[in-house]
Amino acid sequence: MKKFKKLFSVLVSLLLVVALLGGCGQKPADTKPADTKPADTKQADTKPADTKTADSGEIYIPIISKGFQHQFWQAVKAGAEKAAKDYNVKVTFEGPETEAMVDKQIEMLQAALGKNPKAIAIAALDSKAVLPLLEKAKAANIPVIGFDSGVDSDIPVATAATDNVKASAVAADKMAELIGGEGEVAVIVHDQTSRTGVDRRDGFVNRIKEKYPNIKIVDIQYGGGDQLKSTDLAKTIIQAHPNLKGFFGANEGSIIGVLNAVKEMKKEGKIVVIGYDSGKQQIEAIKSGVQAGAITQDPIGIGYKAVEAAVKAIKGEKVEKNIDTGFHWYDKSNIDSDQIKPLLYE
């Protein structure tokens, strides 16, 4: 009996082993993970919108400006968006918080190139610092368009801008005329790294030196296009030069700083103030007589021509290397004329 029980126990053990082996050989249909949905389906859902635009064949042109805070840039943006509508392309318009943020603009340019644009337009804050990234754009066959301010390179296929040297020379002529051809004058410029900063400074200073030997430029300062900083600089200059007869501000931020300083120091009517660009404060100052006049560009035309040149470059059409968008002198006598009024913005 004992022998029979031992034999029965061995037989049961063998049956259990066979059953277990059989179970392991089956493919467990219900153990498939619930998240084994095809990976490419999930990627399509999370694909960035801008990349999708570029891949879809739509012409996408990012526009990197020097800033966003001045009305001038809003007018450039309006012109760019009008051209985008006319040519049926997609544009984005962005710029750093201040015109002193070169690093931020470089980051924006880097990000824009990462979206595989068909072309790119830039108003460089630093005409040299952007060159490594523009070299990358060239290597990727992405046409580069400069606007408002060029770069120290032949990489841009076109640059839509005012002839700032010539325009500032006209401002110098007006200054000389209004102060009687002699006396001390000073200049606030937005920067000495961008093409507009350098060209407007040199256009004004060189014309004074060449044609008006009895006018002395006593100081040139750089306010980064910041109104508050430019105000402080202008006040310091006025304090240091009590006989100052004229002040030139080379962009919207610079001239607003000069106007603030003149008003705060009660020098209205005693210092001839000449500016550049437009904006509500300049328009009011010219109409009230605190400011003698200013050079206006055509910001809407600059934005429009930049996008138009980009579209032509993408299509392989001939593009003019330097697109002169023009300038005008305006003062109290013509500020409301049909020629000037459309070029001004508040």
Side-chain angles (χ1 to χ4, degrees), residues 33-85:
D35 60 349
T36 53
K37 192 164 51 175
D40 55 351
T41 302
K42 292 181 78 175
Q43 287 173 352
D45 292 339
T46 58
K47 197 173 183 179
D50 287 336
T51 304
K52 191 184 290 181
T53 299
D55 293 346
S56 68
E58 182 181 20
I59 293 178
Y60 168 54
I61 305 167
I63 300 172
I64 312 295
S65 78
K66 283 183 174 179
F68 218 77
Q69 76 277 35
H70 295 153
Q71 290 303 310
F72 175 82
W73 296 117
Q74 295 300 315
V76 174
K77 179 174 180 280
E81 290 175 343
K82 183 176 188 310
K85 187 176 181 181

Side-chain angles (χ1 to χ4, degrees), residues 14 17 19-20 75 78 84 119 130 171 184 192 194 200 202 206 251 279 326-327 332:
L14 285 172
V17 168
L20 285 171
V130 296
E184 298 179 344
Q192 50 187 331
S194 71
R200 292 177 195 176
D202 292 351
N206 292 341
N251 82 335
F327 68 90
K332 199 172 183 178

Side-chain angles (χ1 to χ4, degrees), residues 103-289:
D103 290 345
K104 183 72 176 291
Q105 190 188 50
I106 296 293
E107 290 173 10
M108 290 177 168
L109 179 58
Q110 175 85 60
L113 288 173
K115 295 174 183 174
N116 301 317
K118 300 294 184 185
I120 191 164
I122 181 164
L125 280 169
D126 189 314
S127 58
K128 292 183 175 63
V130 296
L131 295 184
L133 287 176
L134 298 192
E135 291 284 357
K136 285 187 176 181
K138 182 181 179 182
N141 293 318
I142 299 171
V144 175
I145 307 297
F147 69 97
D148 178 69
S149 192
V151 298
D152 295 339
S153 167
D154 288 332
I155 292 176
V157 297
T159 299
T162 305
D163 185 335
N164 287 293
V165 173
K166 193 185 293 183
S168 290
V170 169
D173 289 336
K174 291 291 182 182
M175 178 67 80
E177 177 186 334
L178 293 167
I179 66 172
E182 61 181 9
E184 298 179 344
V185 300
V187 181
I188 297 284
V189 187
H190 37 298
D191 63 64
Q192 50 187 331
T193 56
S194 71
R195 275 270 41 105
T196 58
V198 172
D199 289 349
R200 292 177 195 176
R201 178 197 64 196
D202 292 351
F204 185 89
V205 171
N206 292 341
R207 178 59 66 91
I208 293 291
K209 288 181 178 177
E210 288 165 4
K211 287 189 64 177
Y212 307 104
N214 295 324
I215 296 177
K216 182 181 180 182
I217 298 175
V218 294
D219 205 347
I220 302 171
Q221 292 293 328
Y222 303 91
D226 182 84
Q227 299 174 16
L228 295 178
K229 185 177 179 182
S230 298
T231 301
D232 291 339
L233 290 170
K235 287 166 67 176
T236 300
I237 291 173
I238 292 171
Q239 286 173 334
H241 301 280
N243 296 319
L244 196 72
K245 292 180 72 175
F247 222 134
F248 173 54
N251 82 335
E252 187 180 349
S254 302
I255 190 59
I256 290 174
V258 172
L259 287 170
N260 289 340
V262 166
K263 290 175 184 173
E264 288 179 27
M265 301 187 75
K266 303 190 184 307
K267 291 285 185 177
E268 297 103 319
K270 298 176 181 175
I271 295 177
V272 173
V273 176
I274 288 178
Y276 212 106
D277 297 325
S278 181
K280 188 175 182 179
Q281 284 180 258
Q282 279 204 84
I283 291 172
E284 289 178 350
I286 289 172
K287 288 185 174 179
S288 69

